[in-house]
Amino acid sequence: EPSKLSQDSFAHVLSIYEQLNLEYRKKKIDYQEFSKTLLIQVLYILKREETCLPQKEILNRSEQISNHFLSLIEEHFQNRKSVQDYADILEITPKHLSETIKETLDKSALSLIHARIIKEIQYQLCYTTLSIKEISSTLYFPNSSDFGRFFKRHKEISPRDYRLKFQA
């Protein structure tokens, strides 16, 4: 999401991006690892800025449930893959959770869970050297076959082919 940064934070992020650009152009030894640490710094700055902003007042219970659900997905997507899992944490019924999410976010609860899992799979396929079996395991799929079917159903391409096509 777009963030409004304070003048100081913006200047700091800009200087980090300039360092990133320099690292990429010069390609000194370990430039990729160094670049990763710079990107992590940017993410921490953005996270700090976000937590310092005054939070908008949540108007109703549906919005509270939706916001809590989205934060739970970020926290638990690796090992919780069903609406029932999240409904249990929120102490509401899966039907109520699904209806609330559909009403407030105009998407199904399950599609949001799956979208986050797919996003992580895509990242790991492109930016890590983990094998498909290892990725499957880190995301708690029962086996790599289920993992492959899940990914192919959502992206219409196998994990292996996706990696070959998009790996950085």
Side-chain angles (χ1 to χ4, degrees), residues 101-122:
I101 297 303
K102 184 70 174 169
E103 173 191 311
T104 56
L105 302 175
D106 204 30
K107 293 184 178 180
S108 75
L110 190 60
S111 71
L112 291 169
I113 296 166
H114 287 175
R116 181 59 183 98
I117 295 167
I118 290 294
K119 187 176 177 181
E120 183 66 20
I121 293 170
Q122 289 173 306

mmCIF file with all atom_site columns, all heavy atoms in Angstrom, residues 101-122:
data_model
loop_
_atom_site.group_PDB
_atom_site.id
_atom_site.type_symbol
_atom_site.label_atom_id
_atom_site.label_alt_id
_atom_site.label_comp_id
_atom_site.label_asym_id
_atom_site.label_entity_id
_atom_site.label_seq_id
_atom_site.pdbx_PDB_ins_code
_atom_site.Cartn_x
_atom_site.Cartn_y
_atom_site.Cartn_z
_atom_site.occupancy
_atom_site.B_iso_or_equiv
_atom_site.pdbx_formal_charge
_atom_site.auth_seq_id
_atom_site.auth_comp_id
_atom_site.auth_asym_id
_atom_site.auth_atom_id
_atom_site.pdbx_PDB_model_num
ATOM 1   N N   . ILE A 1 101 ? -16.518 -11.068 5.326  1.00 0.00 ? 101 ILE A N   1
ATOM 2   C CA  . ILE A 1 101 ? -15.412 -10.731 4.413  1.00 0.00 ? 101 ILE A CA  1
ATOM 3   C C   . ILE A 1 101 ? -15.968 -10.399 3.038  1.00 0.00 ? 101 ILE A C   1
ATOM 4   O O   . ILE A 1 101 ? -15.544 -9.419  2.401  1.00 0.00 ? 101 ILE A O   1
ATOM 5   C CB  . ILE A 1 101 ? -14.387 -11.889 4.342  1.00 0.00 ? 101 ILE A CB  1
ATOM 6   C CG1 . ILE A 1 101 ? -13.740 -12.128 5.707  1.00 0.00 ? 101 ILE A CG1 1
ATOM 7   C CG2 . ILE A 1 101 ? -13.347 -11.625 3.270  1.00 0.00 ? 101 ILE A CG2 1
ATOM 8   C CD1 . ILE A 1 101 ? -13.056 -10.932 6.321  1.00 0.00 ? 101 ILE A CD1 1
ATOM 9   N N   . LYS A 1 102 ? -16.921 -11.165 2.572  1.00 0.00 ? 102 LYS A N   1
ATOM 10  C CA  . LYS A 1 102 ? -17.523 -10.912 1.256  1.00 0.00 ? 102 LYS A CA  1
ATOM 11  C C   . LYS A 1 102 ? -18.194 -9.535  1.247  1.00 0.00 ? 102 LYS A C   1
ATOM 12  O O   . LYS A 1 102 ? -18.068 -8.771  0.287  1.00 0.00 ? 102 LYS A O   1
ATOM 13  C CB  . LYS A 1 102 ? -18.532 -12.023 0.924  1.00 0.00 ? 102 LYS A CB  1
ATOM 14  C CG  . LYS A 1 102 ? -19.135 -11.929 -0.441 1.00 0.00 ? 102 LYS A CG  1
ATOM 15  C CD  . LYS A 1 102 ? -18.097 -12.252 -1.481 1.00 0.00 ? 102 LYS A CD  1
ATOM 16  C CE  . LYS A 1 102 ? -18.727 -12.308 -2.850 1.00 0.00 ? 102 LYS A CE  1
ATOM 17  N NZ  . LYS A 1 102 ? -17.743 -12.366 -3.910 1.00 0.00 ? 102 LYS A NZ  1
ATOM 18  N N   . GLU A 1 103 ? -18.871 -9.199  2.328  1.00 0.00 ? 103 GLU A N   1
ATOM 19  C CA  . GLU A 1 103 ? -19.577 -7.916  2.437  1.00 0.00 ? 103 GLU A CA  1
ATOM 20  C C   . GLU A 1 103 ? -18.614 -6.729  2.491  1.00 0.00 ? 103 GLU A C   1
ATOM 21  O O   . GLU A 1 103 ? -18.816 -5.720  1.821  1.00 0.00 ? 103 GLU A O   1
ATOM 22  C CB  . GLU A 1 103 ? -20.447 -7.950  3.695  1.00 0.00 ? 103 GLU A CB  1
ATOM 23  C CG  . GLU A 1 103 ? -21.121 -6.648  4.048  1.00 0.00 ? 103 GLU A CG  1
ATOM 24  C CD  . GLU A 1 103 ? -21.738 -6.727  5.436  1.00 0.00 ? 103 GLU A CD  1
ATOM 25  O OE1 . GLU A 1 103 ? -22.448 -7.718  5.715  1.00 0.00 ? 103 GLU A OE1 1
ATOM 26  O OE2 . GLU A 1 103 ? -21.494 -5.799  6.232  1.00 0.00 ? 103 GLU A OE2 1
ATOM 27  N N   . THR A 1 104 ? -17.550 -6.851  3.272  1.00 0.00 ? 104 THR A N   1
ATOM 28  C CA  . THR A 1 104 ? -16.660 -5.707  3.468  1.00 0.00 ? 104 THR A CA  1
ATOM 29  C C   . THR A 1 104 ? -15.548 -5.606  2.430  1.00 0.00 ? 104 THR A C   1
ATOM 30  O O   . THR A 1 104 ? -15.143 -4.508  2.072  1.00 0.00 ? 104 THR A O   1
ATOM 31  C CB  . THR A 1 104 ? -16.017 -5.717  4.874  1.00 0.00 ? 104 THR A CB  1
ATOM 32  O OG1 . THR A 1 104 ? -15.339 -6.945  5.059  1.00 0.00 ? 104 THR A OG1 1
ATOM 33  C CG2 . THR A 1 104 ? -17.050 -5.520  5.959  1.00 0.00 ? 104 THR A CG2 1
ATOM 34  N N   . LEU A 1 105 ? -15.045 -6.736  1.959  1.00 0.00 ? 105 LEU A N   1
ATOM 35  C CA  . LEU A 1 105 ? -13.894 -6.708  1.048  1.00 0.00 ? 105 LEU A CA  1
ATOM 36  C C   . LEU A 1 105 ? -14.245 -7.144  -0.376 1.00 0.00 ? 105 LEU A C   1
ATOM 37  O O   . LEU A 1 105 ? -13.392 -7.099  -1.260 1.00 0.00 ? 105 LEU A O   1
ATOM 38  C CB  . LEU A 1 105 ? -12.762 -7.587  1.594  1.00 0.00 ? 105 LEU A CB  1
ATOM 39  C CG  . LEU A 1 105 ? -12.253 -7.214  2.982  1.00 0.00 ? 105 LEU A CG  1
ATOM 40  C CD1 . LEU A 1 105 ? -11.230 -8.220  3.473  1.00 0.00 ? 105 LEU A CD1 1
ATOM 41  C CD2 . LEU A 1 105 ? -11.667 -5.812  2.983  1.00 0.00 ? 105 LEU A CD2 1
ATOM 42  N N   . ASP A 1 106 ? -15.454 -7.599  -0.567 1.00 0.00 ? 106 ASP A N   1
ATOM 43  C CA  . ASP A 1 106 ? -15.943 -8.012  -1.889 1.00 0.00 ? 106 ASP A CA  1
ATOM 44  C C   . ASP A 1 106 ? -15.122 -9.164  -2.488 1.00 0.00 ? 106 ASP A C   1
ATOM 45  O O   . ASP A 1 106 ? -14.983 -9.264  -3.702 1.00 0.00 ? 106 ASP A O   1
ATOM 46  C CB  . ASP A 1 106 ? -15.982 -6.818  -2.844 1.00 0.00 ? 106 ASP A CB  1
ATOM 47  C CG  . ASP A 1 106 ? -16.987 -7.031  -3.967 1.00 0.00 ? 106 ASP A CG  1
ATOM 48  O OD1 . ASP A 1 106 ? -17.991 -7.731  -3.734 1.00 0.00 ? 106 ASP A OD1 1
ATOM 49  O OD2 . ASP A 1 106 ? -16.759 -6.507  -5.074 1.00 0.00 ? 106 ASP A OD2 1
ATOM 50  N N   . LYS A 1 107 ? -14.548 -9.976  -1.623 1.00 0.00 ? 107 LYS A N   1
ATOM 51  C CA  . LYS A 1 107 ? -13.831 -11.184 -2.034 1.00 0.00 ? 107 LYS A CA  1
ATOM 52  C C   . LYS A 1 107 ? -14.147 -12.266 -1.022 1.00 0.00 ? 107 LYS A C   1
ATOM 53  O O   . LYS A 1 107 ? -14.489 -11.962 0.117  1.00 0.00 ? 107 LYS A O   1
ATOM 54  C CB  . LYS A 1 107 ? -12.317 -10.952 -2.071 1.00 0.00 ? 107 LYS A CB  1
ATOM 55  C CG  . LYS A 1 107 ? -11.885 -9.996  -3.136 1.00 0.00 ? 107 LYS A CG  1
ATOM 56  C CD  . LYS A 1 107 ? -10.382 -9.875  -3.178 1.00 0.00 ? 107 LYS A CD  1
ATOM 57  C CE  . LYS A 1 107 ? -9.997  -8.935  -4.302 1.00 0.00 ? 107 LYS A CE  1
ATOM 58  N NZ  . LYS A 1 107 ? -8.575  -8.755  -4.424 1.00 0.00 ? 107 LYS A NZ  1
ATOM 59  N N   . SER A 1 108 ? -13.987 -13.500 -1.416 1.00 0.00 ? 108 SER A N   1
ATOM 60  C CA  . SER A 1 108 ? -14.246 -14.573 -0.456 1.00 0.00 ? 108 SER A CA  1
ATOM 61  C C   . SER A 1 108 ? -13.063 -14.701 0.499  1.00 0.00 ? 108 SER A C   1
ATOM 62  O O   . SER A 1 108 ? -11.919 -14.397 0.146  1.00 0.00 ? 108 SER A O   1
ATOM 63  C CB  . SER A 1 108 ? -14.498 -15.898 -1.173 1.00 0.00 ? 108 SER A CB  1
ATOM 64  O OG  . SER A 1 108 ? -13.293 -16.432 -1.666 1.00 0.00 ? 108 SER A OG  1
ATOM 65  N N   . ALA A 1 109 ? -13.346 -15.159 1.699  1.00 0.00 ? 109 ALA A N   1
ATOM 66  C CA  . ALA A 1 109 ? -12.298 -15.349 2.701  1.00 0.00 ? 109 ALA A CA  1
ATOM 67  C C   . ALA A 1 109 ? -11.267 -16.355 2.197  1.00 0.00 ? 109 ALA A C   1
ATOM 68  O O   . ALA A 1 109 ? -10.062 -16.135 2.317  1.00 0.00 ? 109 ALA A O   1
ATOM 69  C CB  . ALA A 1 109 ? -12.917 -15.817 4.019  1.00 0.00 ? 109 ALA A CB  1
ATOM 70  N N   . LEU A 1 110 ? -11.730 -17.436 1.604  1.00 0.00 ? 110 LEU A N   1
ATOM 71  C CA  . LEU A 1 110 ? -10.816 -18.459 1.119  1.00 0.00 ? 110 LEU A CA  1
ATOM 72  C C   . LEU A 1 110 ? -9.925  -17.927 -0.004 1.00 0.00 ? 110 LEU A C   1
ATOM 73  O O   . LEU A 1 110 ? -8.737  -18.239 -0.058 1.00 0.00 ? 110 LEU A O   1
ATOM 74  C CB  . LEU A 1 110 ? -11.597 -19.693 0.649  1.00 0.00 ? 110 LEU A CB  1
ATOM 75  C CG  . LEU A 1 110 ? -10.756 -20.924 0.330  1.00 0.00 ? 110 LEU A CG  1
ATOM 76  C CD1 . LEU A 1 110 ? -9.961  -21.375 1.560  1.00 0.00 ? 110 LEU A CD1 1
ATOM 77  C CD2 . LEU A 1 110 ? -11.630 -22.051 -0.185 1.00 0.00 ? 110 LEU A CD2 1
ATOM 78  N N   . SER A 1 111 ? -10.479 -17.092 -0.870 1.00 0.00 ? 111 SER A N   1
ATOM 79  C CA  . SER A 1 111 ? -9.658  -16.552 -1.964 1.00 0.00 ? 111 SER A CA  1
ATOM 80  C C   . SER A 1 111 ? -8.551  -15.645 -1.419 1.00 0.00 ? 111 SER A C   1
ATOM 81  O O   . SER A 1 111 ? -7.451  -15.600 -1.970 1.00 0.00 ? 111 SER A O   1
ATOM 82  C CB  . SER A 1 111 ? -10.507 -15.809 -2.991 1.00 0.00 ? 111 SER A CB  1
ATOM 83  O OG  . SER A 1 111 ? -10.986 -14.591 -2.470 1.00 0.00 ? 111 SER A OG  1
ATOM 84  N N   . LEU A 1 112 ? -8.814  -14.941 -0.332 1.00 0.00 ? 112 LEU A N   1
ATOM 85  C CA  . LEU A 1 112 ? -7.784  -14.093 0.281  1.00 0.00 ? 112 LEU A CA  1
ATOM 86  C C   . LEU A 1 112 ? -6.685  -14.945 0.917  1.00 0.00 ? 112 LEU A C   1
ATOM 87  O O   . LEU A 1 112 ? -5.498  -14.614 0.803  1.00 0.00 ? 112 LEU A O   1
ATOM 88  C CB  . LEU A 1 112 ? -8.407  -13.161 1.322  1.00 0.00 ? 112 LEU A CB  1
ATOM 89  C CG  . LEU A 1 112 ? -9.303  -12.058 0.752  1.00 0.00 ? 112 LEU A CG  1
ATOM 90  C CD1 . LEU A 1 112 ? -10.079 -11.369 1.870  1.00 0.00 ? 112 LEU A CD1 1
ATOM 91  C CD2 . LEU A 1 112 ? -8.487  -11.057 -0.032 1.00 0.00 ? 112 LEU A CD2 1
ATOM 92  N N   . ILE A 1 113 ? -7.074  -16.029 1.547  1.00 0.00 ? 113 ILE A N   1
ATOM 93  C CA  . ILE A 1 113 ? -6.087  -16.946 2.129  1.00 0.00 ? 113 ILE A CA  1
ATOM 94  C C   . ILE A 1 113 ? -5.219  -17.526 1.011  1.00 0.00 ? 113 ILE A C   1
ATOM 95  O O   . ILE A 1 113 ? -3.989  -17.512 1.088  1.00 0.00 ? 113 ILE A O   1
ATOM 96  C CB  . ILE A 1 113 ? -6.786  -18.074 2.920  1.00 0.00 ? 113 ILE A CB  1
ATOM 97  C CG1 . ILE A 1 113 ? -7.541  -17.515 4.119  1.00 0.00 ? 113 ILE A CG1 1
ATOM 98  C CG2 . ILE A 1 113 ? -5.758  -19.128 3.367  1.00 0.00 ? 113 ILE A CG2 1
ATOM 99  C CD1 . ILE A 1 113 ? -8.524  -18.491 4.763  1.00 0.00 ? 113 ILE A CD1 1
ATOM 100 N N   . HIS A 1 114 ? -5.872  -18.016 -0.026 1.00 0.00 ? 114 HIS A N   1
ATOM 101 C CA  . HIS A 1 114 ? -5.143  -18.621 -1.143 1.00 0.00 ? 114 HIS A CA  1
ATOM 102 C C   . HIS A 1 114 ? -4.255  -17.602 -1.856 1.00 0.00 ? 114 HIS A C   1
ATOM 103 O O   . HIS A 1 114 ? -3.127  -17.933 -2.249 1.00 0.00 ? 114 HIS A O   1
ATOM 104 C CB  . HIS A 1 114 ? -6.109  -19.260 -2.132 1.00 0.00 ? 114 HIS A CB  1
ATOM 105 C CG  . HIS A 1 114 ? -6.707  -20.535 -1.621 1.00 0.00 ? 114 HIS A CG  1
ATOM 106 N ND1 . HIS A 1 114 ? -7.678  -21.227 -2.305 1.00 0.00 ? 114 HIS A ND1 1
ATOM 107 C CD2 . HIS A 1 114 ? -6.479  -21.245 -0.491 1.00 0.00 ? 114 HIS A CD2 1
ATOM 108 C CE1 . HIS A 1 114 ? -8.003  -22.311 -1.622 1.00 0.00 ? 114 HIS A CE1 1
ATOM 109 N NE2 . HIS A 1 114 ? -7.304  -22.333 -0.514 1.00 0.00 ? 114 HIS A NE2 1
ATOM 110 N N   . ALA A 1 115 ? -4.725  -16.378 -2.002 1.00 0.00 ? 115 ALA A N   1
ATOM 111 C CA  . ALA A 1 115 ? -3.925  -15.343 -2.669 1.00 0.00 ? 115 ALA A CA  1
ATOM 112 C C   . ALA A 1 115 ? -2.626  -15.096 -1.907 1.00 0.00 ? 115 ALA A C   1
ATOM 113 O O   . ALA A 1 115 ? -1.560  -14.930 -2.511 1.00 0.00 ? 115 ALA A O   1
ATOM 114 C CB  . ALA A 1 115 ? -4.724  -14.051 -2.792 1.00 0.00 ? 115 ALA A CB  1
ATOM 115 N N   . ARG A 1 116 ? -2.698  -15.096 -0.574 1.00 0.00 ? 116 ARG A N   1
ATOM 116 C CA  . ARG A 1 116 ? -1.487  -14.869 0.219  1.00 0.00 ? 116 ARG A CA  1
ATOM 117 C C   . ARG A 1 116 ? -0.518  -16.043 0.103  1.00 0.00 ? 116 ARG A C   1
ATOM 118 O O   . ARG A 1 116 ? 0.694   -15.863 0.007  1.00 0.00 ? 116 ARG A O   1
ATOM 119 C CB  . ARG A 1 116 ? -1.854  -14.609 1.693  1.00 0.00 ? 116 ARG A CB  1
ATOM 120 C CG  . ARG A 1 116 ? -0.640  -14.345 2.564  1.00 0.00 ? 116 ARG A CG  1
ATOM 121 C CD  . ARG A 1 116 ? 0.138   -13.123 2.063  1.00 0.00 ? 116 ARG A CD  1
ATOM 122 N NE  . ARG A 1 116 ? 1.330   -12.883 2.830  1.00 0.00 ? 116 ARG A NE  1
ATOM 123 C CZ  . ARG A 1 116 ? 2.565   -13.278 2.473  1.00 0.00 ? 116 ARG A CZ  1
ATOM 124 N NH1 . ARG A 1 116 ? 2.761   -13.964 1.361  1.00 0.00 ? 116 ARG A NH1 1
ATOM 125 N NH2 . ARG A 1 116 ? 3.602   -12.992 3.234  1.00 0.00 ? 116 ARG A NH2 1
ATOM 126 N N   . ILE A 1 117 ? -1.059  -17.250 0.082  1.00 0.00 ? 117 ILE A N   1
ATOM 127 C CA  . ILE A 1 117 ? -0.213  -18.439 -0.068 1.00 0.00 ? 117 ILE A CA  1
ATOM 128 C C   . ILE A 1 117 ? 0.458   -18.417 -1.444 1.00 0.00 ? 117 ILE A C   1
ATOM 129 O O   . ILE A 1 117 ? 1.664   -18.655 -1.560 1.00 0.00 ? 117 ILE A O   1
ATOM 130 C CB  . ILE A 1 117 ? -1.037  -19.726 0.135  1.00 0.00 ? 117 ILE A CB  1
ATOM 131 C CG1 . ILE A 1 117 ? -1.543  -19.810 1.577  1.00 0.00 ? 117 ILE A CG1 1
ATOM 132 C CG2 . ILE A 1 117 ? -0.207  -20.967 -0.221 1.00 0.00 ? 117 ILE A CG2 1
ATOM 133 C CD1 . ILE A 1 117 ? -2.616  -20.865 1.816  1.00 0.00 ? 117 ILE A CD1 1
ATOM 134 N N   . ILE A 1 118 ? -0.299  -18.105 -2.485 1.00 0.00 ? 118 ILE A N   1
ATOM 135 C CA  . ILE A 1 118 ? 0.242   -18.049 -3.846 1.00 0.00 ? 118 ILE A CA  1
ATOM 136 C C   . ILE A 1 118 ? 1.333   -16.988 -3.935 1.00 0.00 ? 118 ILE A C   1
ATOM 137 O O   . ILE A 1 118 ? 2.383   -17.201 -4.537 1.00 0.00 ? 118 ILE A O   1
ATOM 138 C CB  . ILE A 1 118 ? -0.880  -17.775 -4.883 1.00 0.00 ? 118 ILE A CB  1
ATOM 139 C CG1 . ILE A 1 118 ? -1.797  -18.992 -5.007 1.00 0.00 ? 118 ILE A CG1 1
ATOM 140 C CG2 . ILE A 1 118 ? -0.320  -17.365 -6.225 1.00 0.00 ? 118 ILE A CG2 1
ATOM 141 C CD1 . ILE A 1 118 ? -1.137  -20.226 -5.589 1.00 0.00 ? 118 ILE A CD1 1
ATOM 142 N N   . LYS A 1 119 ? 1.100   -15.846 -3.326 1.00 0.00 ? 119 LYS A N   1
ATOM 143 C CA  . LYS A 1 119 ? 2.095   -14.768 -3.330 1.00 0.00 ? 119 LYS A CA  1
ATOM 144 C C   . LYS A 1 119 ? 3.413   -15.245 -2.718 1.00 0.00 ? 119 LYS A C   1
ATOM 145 O O   . LYS A 1 119 ? 4.493   -14.976 -3.240 1.00 0.00 ? 119 LYS A O   1
ATOM 146 C CB  . LYS A 1 119 ? 1.531   -13.574 -2.551 1.00 0.00 ? 119 LYS A CB  1
ATOM 147 C CG  . LYS A 1 119 ? 2.350   -12.329 -2.591 1.00 0.00 ? 119 LYS A CG  1
ATOM 148 C CD  . LYS A 1 119 ? 1.589   -11.231 -1.854 1.00 0.00 ? 119 LYS A CD  1
ATOM 149 C CE  . LYS A 1 119 ? 2.361   -9.959  -1.765 1.00 0.00 ? 119 LYS A CE  1
ATOM 150 N NZ  . LYS A 1 119 ? 1.623   -8.927  -1.022 1.00 0.00 ? 119 LYS A NZ  1
ATOM 151 N N   . GLU A 1 120 ? 3.327   -15.988 -1.619 1.00 0.00 ? 120 GLU A N   1
ATOM 152 C CA  . GLU A 1 120 ? 4.526   -16.510 -0.966 1.00 0.00 ? 120 GLU A CA  1
ATOM 153 C C   . GLU A 1 120 ? 5.212   -17.561 -1.837 1.00 0.00 ? 120 GLU A C   1
ATOM 154 O O   . GLU A 1 120 ? 6.441   -17.576 -1.949 1.00 0.00 ? 120 GLU A O   1
ATOM 155 C CB  . GLU A 1 120 ? 4.175   -17.105 0.406  1.00 0.00 ? 120 GLU A CB  1
ATOM 156 C CG  . GLU A 1 120 ? 5.367   -17.595 1.183  1.00 0.00 ? 120 GLU A CG  1
ATOM 157 C CD  . GLU A 1 120 ? 6.326   -16.486 1.600  1.00 0.00 ? 120 GLU A CD  1
ATOM 158 O OE1 . GLU A 1 120 ? 5.937   -15.299 1.630  1.00 0.00 ? 120 GLU A OE1 1
ATOM 159 O OE2 . GLU A 1 120 ? 7.490   -16.819 1.907  1.00 0.00 ? 120 GLU A OE2 1
ATOM 160 N N   . ILE A 1 121 ? 4.426   -18.421 -2.450 1.00 0.00 ? 121 ILE A N   1
ATOM 161 C CA  . ILE A 1 121 ? 5.005   -19.444 -3.323 1.00 0.00 ? 121 ILE A CA  1
ATOM 162 C C   . ILE A 1 121 ? 5.744   -18.771 -4.476 1.00 0.00 ? 121 ILE A C   1
ATOM 163 O O   . ILE A 1 121 ? 6.877   -19.137 -4.798 1.00 0.00 ? 121 ILE A O   1
ATOM 164 C CB  . ILE A 1 121 ? 3.913   -20.397 -3.863 1.00 0.00 ? 121 ILE A CB  1
ATOM 165 C CG1 . ILE A 1 121 ? 3.325   -21.240 -2.735 1.00 0.00 ? 121 ILE A CG1 1
ATOM 166 C CG2 . ILE A 1 121 ? 4.487   -21.300 -4.960 1.00 0.00 ? 121 ILE A CG2 1
ATOM 167 C CD1 . ILE A 1 121 ? 2.079   -22.028 -3.131 1.00 0.00 ? 121 ILE A CD1 1
ATOM 168 N N   . GLN A 1 122 ? 5.121   -17.788 -5.096 1.00 0.00 ? 122 GLN A N   1
ATOM 169 C CA  . GLN A 1 122 ? 5.759   -17.083 -6.206 1.00 0.00 ? 122 GLN A CA  1
ATOM 170 C C   . GLN A 1 122 ? 7.081   -16.454 -5.762 1.00 0.00 ? 122 GLN A C   1
ATOM 171 O O   . GLN A 1 122 ? 8.084   -16.549 -6.464 1.00 0.00 ? 122 GLN A O   1
ATOM 172 C CB  . GLN A 1 122 ? 4.831   -15.996 -6.758 1.00 0.00 ? 122 GLN A CB  1
ATOM 173 C CG  . GLN A 1 122 ? 3.656   -16.552 -7.512 1.00 0.00 ? 122 GLN A CG  1
ATOM 174 C CD  . GLN A 1 122 ? 2.679   -15.462 -7.904 1.00 0.00 ? 122 GLN A CD  1
ATOM 175 O OE1 . GLN A 1 122 ? 2.211   -14.699 -7.066 1.00 0.00 ? 122 GLN A OE1 1
ATOM 176 N NE2 . GLN A 1 122 ? 2.383   -15.391 -9.183 1.00 0.00 ? 122 GLN A NE2 1
#
